[in-house]
Amino acid sequence: MEVILAKSAGFCFGVKRAVDTVYEQTAAGGKIYTYGPIIHNEEVVRDLEQKGVTVLENEAELDALTEGTVVIRSHGVERRINDAITEKGLHCVDATCPFVKKIHRIVEKESADGRRIIIIGNRNHPEVEGICGWSLTEPVVIESIEEAENFKANPEEKLCIVSQTTFNYNKFQDLVEIFQKKGYDVIVVNTICNATEVRQKEAREIAQRVDIMIVIGGTHSSNTRKLYEICQKECERTYFIQTLDDLHLEIPKSAKLVGITAGASTPNNIIEEVQNYVRINF
């Protein structure tokens, strides 16, 4: 059995930076909190909890703090959360992905100039919620063709379109085209992370070649879910797993090639375990 492992599989720059930041804080001592899970991977979050890191699930839990260090996760947060941490006199360590931080700056600037912000992404994703919180005008989140087609703005209204960093690039282009055809005064900024584009393109190419495709990542990981959807379109036998424990394969003798990719929040040790297991057992 031949195994093809995607070169882009595993931690992206922003995730690695955020995770390393929290581990560095634990080494320094003191009470450490993260505002929301530092990344969407239960294995990593569990390990950090064992090292004394507490996850703050909401603003009420943040308000209850009187001391300690609060690490802002890679997805970023609304501006008011940043301000609340500072106002409470807590030590704030900002581990927001630099690519997400760039979106915050764009949204803040363009909304200050009077443009309405259109965010293409999943409205329930923490990154998108954070981006909304940096707009000075009322933002709109669009995640489907239907929503884009139904959107209406005043003829004189100016728009600025940005994207969730892990959104599907082809779908982003399709949605942008709908807005452009409506004739609005619109600025479009493609804020999909280059690493995301590369990861999705590579996953698609591998899935087209293999008999079986395995996608590894957290169940709540948006970028991993998109990888799974992309691969499933190209390879019917595509499996979404979080760890090796979730892998229950019965590989037919006719299968010669297995592809493996992983989301941006998947640690290398989990990827290696799956890869070695497939090579040894099949």
Side-chain angles (χ1 to χ4, degrees):
M1 177 68 66
E2 184 180 351
V3 177
I4 302 176
L5 175 63
K7 293 179 181 179
S8 60
F11 280 178
C12 65
F13 162 75
V15 166
K16 185 178 186 304
R17 174 177 173 271
V19 172
D20 287 349
T21 296
V22 182
Y23 278 108
E24 288 168 4
Q25 291 298 317
T26 62
K31 190 57 184 172
I32 311 298
Y33 303 88
T34 62
Y35 193 84
I38 191 66
I39 58 172
H40 281 153
N41 186 279
E42 294 176 15
E43 301 295 314
V44 173
V45 172
R46 190 178 299 118
D47 184 60
L48 287 169
E49 286 177 344
Q50 291 174 352
K51 290 178 167 43
V53 177
T54 301
V55 176
L56 300 173
E57 299 290 354
N58 50 52
E59 290 183 59
E61 293 184 6
L62 173 63
D63 290 341
L65 295 186
T66 56
E67 60 180 359
T69 295
V70 179
V71 181
I72 295 176
R73 57 184 168 180
S74 55
H75 299 111
V77 294
E78 300 94 319
R79 181 171 185 167
R80 73 172 189 277
I81 301 298
N82 279 75
D83 294 343
I85 294 171
T86 303
E87 289 168 3
K88 289 181 65 62
L90 303 168
H91 180 216
C92 180
V93 176
D94 192 351
T96 303
C97 171
F99 297 110
V100 176
K101 204 71 176 174
K102 178 183 176 182
I103 303 174
H104 292 175
R105 291 195 294 270
I106 292 169
V107 166
E108 189 173 32
K109 176 182 180 300
E110 295 300 334
S111 63
D113 289 342
R115 289 189 179 270
R116 191 174 188 186
I117 303 300
I118 310 296
I119 305 164
I120 294 182
N122 182 341
R123 60 176 46 83
N124 296 318
H125 192 278
E127 179 189 319
V128 173
E129 292 174 349
I131 294 170
C132 287
W134 289 85
S135 179
L136 304 178
T137 55
E138 186 65 31
V140 177
V141 179
I142 300 290
E143 56 181 314
S144 70
I145 296 291
E146 183 181 7
E147 288 177 346
E149 290 176 340
N150 291 336
F151 176 84
K152 293 181 181 179
N154 296 325
E156 69 277 6
E157 192 171 19
K158 297 180 180 181
L159 309 177
C160 174
I161 298 178
V162 296
S163 174
Q164 180 180 344
T165 57
T166 56
F167 201 73
N168 183 299
Y169 176 74
N170 292 332
K171 189 175 179 181
F172 171 76
Q173 295 289 80
D174 291 341
L175 295 176
V176 166
E177 186 176 345
I178 293 172
F179 279 90
Q180 291 174 330
K181 285 181 177 178
K182 288 175 181 283
Y184 294 129
D185 179 348
V186 57
I187 293 174
V188 178
V189 187
N190 176 11
T191 52
I192 295 176
C193 175
N194 180 61
T196 296
E197 292 184 45
V198 170
R199 193 185 305 264
Q200 291 178 356
K201 181 174 182 290
E202 186 181 23
R204 181 178 293 106
E205 291 173 349
I206 292 175
Q208 289 171 346
R209 298 169 51 196
V210 300
D211 302 301
I212 293 171
M213 191 73 190
I214 301 171
V215 181
I216 313 168
T219 55
H220 299 295
S221 168
S222 175
N223 76 87
T224 307
R225 174 62 59 181
K226 290 179 176 65
L227 287 176
Y228 173 71
E229 292 169 356
I230 289 168
C231 292
Q232 195 174 43
K233 288 182 180 179
E234 307 297 337
C235 178
E236 185 177 350
R237 300 196 66 180
T238 296
Y239 298 86
F240 186 167
I241 65 171
Q242 182 162 293
T243 67
L244 181 58
D245 293 338
D246 303 321
L247 186 61
H248 306 291
L249 282 181
E250 292 184 6
I251 299 180
K253 292 182 179 179
S254 59
K256 304 295 183 184
L257 201 56
V258 173
I260 299 175
T261 190
S265 300
T266 308
N268 285 336
N269 66 298
I270 294 178
I271 299 171
E272 290 172 1
E273 284 179 356
V274 174
Q275 182 183 13
N276 291 336
Y277 178 84
V278 173
R279 282 181 169 157
I280 292 171
N281 290 278
F282 301 101

